[in-house]
Amino acid sequence: MSETHSSVIIIDYGAQYTQLIARRVREAGVYSEIIPCTAPIETVKAAKPSALILSGGPDDVGEKGAFTLDIGLLDLGVPVLGICYGMQLLAHYLGGELSQGTDREYGRADLTLTAECPLWKGLALDTPHVAWMSHGNHVKKVPVGFHAVARTQTLPIAAMANEEKKIYAVQFHPEVHHTDCGTSILHNFLFVVAGLEPDWSMASFVTSCIEESREKVGEAKVVLALSGGVDSTVVAALLHRAIGEKLHCVFVDHGLLHKNEGAEVRAMLEKHLPGLNLHYVQAQDLFLDRLAGVEDPEQKRKIIGATFIEVFEREAKALKDVTFLGQGTVYPDIIESITPKGNVIKSHHNVGGLPEKMKLKLIEPVRDLFKDEVRKVAAELHLPEELIWRQPFPGPGLAVRILGDVTREKVTVLQEADAIVTQEMRASGWYRKVWQSFAVLLPLRTVGVMGDARTYENVIALRVVDSVDAMTADWTTLPYDLLGTISRRIINEVKGVNRVVYDVSSKPPSTIEWE
């Protein structure tokens, strides 16, 4: 990220909405970055913040083990906005008083703005607004130099302000869409209070990313595992513009892709990235032979992951003088790698274990971007719509959508059924309305009747979900006629299937994928 941009640093106290705060700031055209509250203040200083936002969090301020506020953050000379737990921290550490809430507020609340405040510019005072609350503790007495500027029916101090020091705090969550004035409040903090410029755009990112990548790589070579998904393809497009033929992309066809996907990815790349060094590896037999007889889903994932590394490493070693490994790591991968308490949630490396094993330097051009921003970059690069809006697809491919052991025959059945699902979802306009839509081959057979004859064949389950980030998901209420069309086509056109069922489970307690 270029240092010429304004930068809002969000101090994360473990809130469920921290990523959402960062997204809202970026949507306003200002670059944002999340730093755990456990990081030393030098880390925050090094980020050169133009403003700070203190997130919410699940702790009770002042209790043993609760996250604390480094007062040095308030001496950086930049505006500060505390949200929920952030407001309580400011009150507690600046000499105010907290009270354990006897009237707790969770969910929607009527918010009244009671005093003039830069955060309320353009908003009506003494008129109820809808705000989203989630708190037990609350501020009972504001610190010296602050005054209350909002209330709810049960909360006398729902926001407080110190205009002289440009420190503001709200007990509600302006980042969620349930708070009807939330966008205005965040914009007022960014542009009225902090006086920032909306200078973060995908066009500016593309320009700076290409320049920085060219400078970083120099005359070296980069090898990139290219899956055909939007993240890795955007990385390929950016690096191709930056370093040209010094980029080598390896596409491994493990035989568990969508129907005809290997050929379609090659054609797409040849059309939209002409001159790209693409090493297409057909390893279908190797993967399927190693999966023979394996039913446990975790074992399937491990076999596919290890085999992919083996194949990719072999191809990469055949290239001379490769210095960098390109990866399609995105910002949520970075954030979710470490919680504020330092606990690893998941590894963010797209090719697990590969960087360490191959001793290559990493280059991750889109590591600062959210998924929707990666799609915007794809549009800036004039990549095709079908790529930009391609639904997420698991790394192990169809192996985790075939319950039980994986065979060539089962892969063919699922590919045919899955192709019909995609065709009909696209034709109906529903493909871009949902997060994912796919077919699952179940490890059971049922009795049916076809042409007056008894059949005993496979069952396909349809899984269609709505989500924002895949952390939670609801099953989609597709029109009955669309469900009927998909079911009818699968049963009529896919040999070996005589029944189609629809999955009406949400996440949690279920997961999106079946394995």
Side-chain angles (χ1 to χ4, degrees):
M1 198 273 297
S2 172
E3 293 184 2
T4 60
H5 288 291
S6 300
S7 177
V8 173
I9 299 302
I10 298 150
I11 307 299
D12 181 18
Y13 290 93
Q16 60 178 318
Y17 297 133
T18 300
Q19 283 195 39
L20 188 55
I21 299 171
R23 289 170 62 88
R24 292 290 180 261
V25 173
R26 291 193 184 189
E27 287 168 1
V30 178
Y31 180 76
S32 63
E33 188 175 327
I34 296 170
I35 294 180
C37 61
T38 51
I41 193 169
E42 288 73 21
T43 302
V44 180
K45 289 180 179 178
K48 299 181 179 179
S50 307
L52 293 176
I53 296 179
L54 311 182
S55 83
D59 289 350
D60 288 330
V61 174
E63 288 197 353
K64 185 178 181 180
F67 290 131
T68 59
L69 173 66
D70 187 331
I71 291 296
L73 293 172
L74 306 184
D75 295 327
L76 297 181
V78 299
V80 176
L81 173 64
I83 295 176
C84 198
Y85 187 79
M87 173 172 173
Q88 295 166 23
L89 282 171
L90 288 168
H92 179 72
Y93 285 93
L94 292 176
E97 197 175 322
L98 298 182
S99 174
Q100 180 66 41
T102 53
D103 295 314
R104 300 185 174 210
E105 284 185 304
Y106 295 98
R108 297 173 187 268
D110 287 334
L111 175 75
T112 301
L113 312 178
T114 57
E116 294 288 348
C117 174
L119 292 183
W120 310 154
K121 183 178 179 181
L123 300 174
L125 299 183
D126 299 320
T127 299
H129 298 270
V130 175
W132 191 258
M133 294 285 185
S134 180
H135 69 94
N137 291 351
H138 61 270
V139 177
K140 183 178 180 181
K141 180 181 178 183
V142 300
V144 174
F146 285 78
H147 62 283
V149 292
R151 61 174 171 77
T152 69
Q153 291 178 324
T154 59
L155 197 63
I157 306 173
M160 63 182 190
N162 184 326
E163 276 91 356
E164 181 182 351
K165 294 186 176 180
K166 292 190 174 182
I167 301 176
Y168 302 84
V170 295
Q171 188 58 67
F172 53 92
H173 290 276
E175 69 274 20
V176 303
H177 75 270
H178 304 291
T179 300
D180 59 13
C181 55
T183 299
S184 295
I185 291 171
L186 288 175
H187 282 206
N188 284 337
F189 175 70
L190 298 173
F191 305 125
V192 177
V193 174
L196 306 182
E197 293 293 330
D199 51 15
W200 171 251
S201 69
M202 292 306 96
S204 64
F205 170 83
V206 168
T207 301
S208 62
C209 179
I210 291 172
E211 292 174 355
E212 291 167 10
S213 297
R214 185 179 295 127
E215 181 179 347
K216 181 175 183 178
V217 173
E219 295 304 313
K221 292 180 181 177
V222 178
V223 63
L224 168 68
L226 181 56
S227 69
V230 65
D231 296 340
S232 63
T233 305
V234 165
V235 169
L238 288 168
L239 292 177
H240 184 53
R241 288 196 181 189
I243 62 174
E245 62 184 15
K246 294 191 288 289
L247 171 67
H248 293 264
C249 296
V250 178
F251 180 88
V252 178
D253 188 341
H254 51 39
L256 299 160
L257 304 173
H258 296 294
K259 181 181 178 181
N260 300 326
E261 185 172 5
E264 290 173 357
V265 168
R266 291 181 71 180
M268 181 269 291
L269 293 172
E270 289 171 0
K271 179 179 179 181
H272 295 278
L273 298 177
L276 180 72
N277 280 325
L278 179 65
H279 304 260
Y280 180 70
V281 185
Q282 295 191 26
Q284 298 94 324
D285 289 340
L286 176 62
F287 281 86
L288 292 172
D289 287 346
R290 291 186 178 180
L291 287 169
V294 178
E295 296 186 0
D296 180 73
E298 278 306 302
Q299 190 63 21
K300 286 193 285 188
R301 289 178 183 273
K302 289 178 181 178
I303 289 172
I304 293 169
T307 304
F308 180 89
I309 289 174
E310 176 186 323
V311 173
F312 183 84
E313 184 180 22
R314 182 186 69 216
E315 295 296 319
K317 282 187 174 180
L319 302 170
K320 301 295 183 182
D321 305 319
V322 173
T323 305
F324 289 92
L325 172 69
Q327 288 196 156
T329 308
V330 292
Y331 198 43
D333 297 332
I334 305 297
I335 299 168
E336 291 167 5
S337 294
I338 300 178
T339 69
K341 292 185 184 294
N343 299 320
V344 174
I345 297 174
K346 67 177 183 180
S347 169
H348 73 263
H349 292 305
N350 292 357
V351 187
L354 200 57
E356 180 180 351
K357 189 173 184 180
M358 296 184 67
K359 308 298 182 185
L360 296 177
K361 299 177 183 177
L362 280 178
I363 182 167
E364 300 169 307
V366 297
R367 64 178 281 129
D368 289 331
L369 303 186
F370 287 102
K371 189 76 171 185
D372 59 321
E373 292 177 317
V374 176
R375 288 194 166 109
K376 291 175 182 176
V377 170
E380 286 286 337
L381 296 169
H382 305 294
L383 294 175
E385 284 282 308
E386 58 267 26
L387 167 76
I388 295 173
W389 295 105
R390 184 192 184 206
Q391 294 177 357
F393 189 62
L398 299 181
V400 292
R401 293 178 181 175
I402 297 173
L403 274 60
D405 66 324
V406 178
T407 67
R408 288 165 174 79
E409 294 74 20
K410 290 180 179 179
V411 171
T412 299
V413 168
L414 184 55
Q415 284 178 330
E416 295 294 334
D418 192 64
I420 290 171
V421 174
T422 300
Q423 289 165 13
E424 293 300 331
M425 291 293 288
R426 289 189 186 279
S428 63
W430 274 88
Y431 185 84
R432 281 182 54 174
K433 295 179 182 178
V434 302
W435 178 261
Q436 273 176 285
S437 53
F438 57 89
V440 180
L441 181 60
L442 304 188
L444 58 97
R445 297 190 174 201
T446 65
V447 174
V449 178
M450 290 185 176
D452 296 325
R454 179 184 183 276
T455 61
Y456 190 59
E457 295 180 331
N458 296 297
V459 180
I460 288 288
L462 301 180
R463 182 68 161 147
V464 186
V465 297
D466 296 313
S467 183
V468 174
D469 53 14
M471 301 300 291
T472 61
D474 291 322
W475 62 276
T476 305
T477 53
L478 286 183
Y480 288 150
D481 58 346
L482 177 55
L483 284 171
T485 299
I486 293 172
S487 174
R488 184 170 56 254
R489 282 197 61 194
I490 290 175
I491 292 171
N492 289 341
E493 299 175 29
V494 181
K495 186 177 180 180
V497 176
N498 69 357
R499 191 178 300 271
V500 174
V501 298
Y502 193 52
D503 183 347
V504 293
S505 310
S506 295
K507 177 185 180 180
S510 301
T511 54
I512 295 177
E513 298 288 344
W514 278 46
E515 284 193 343

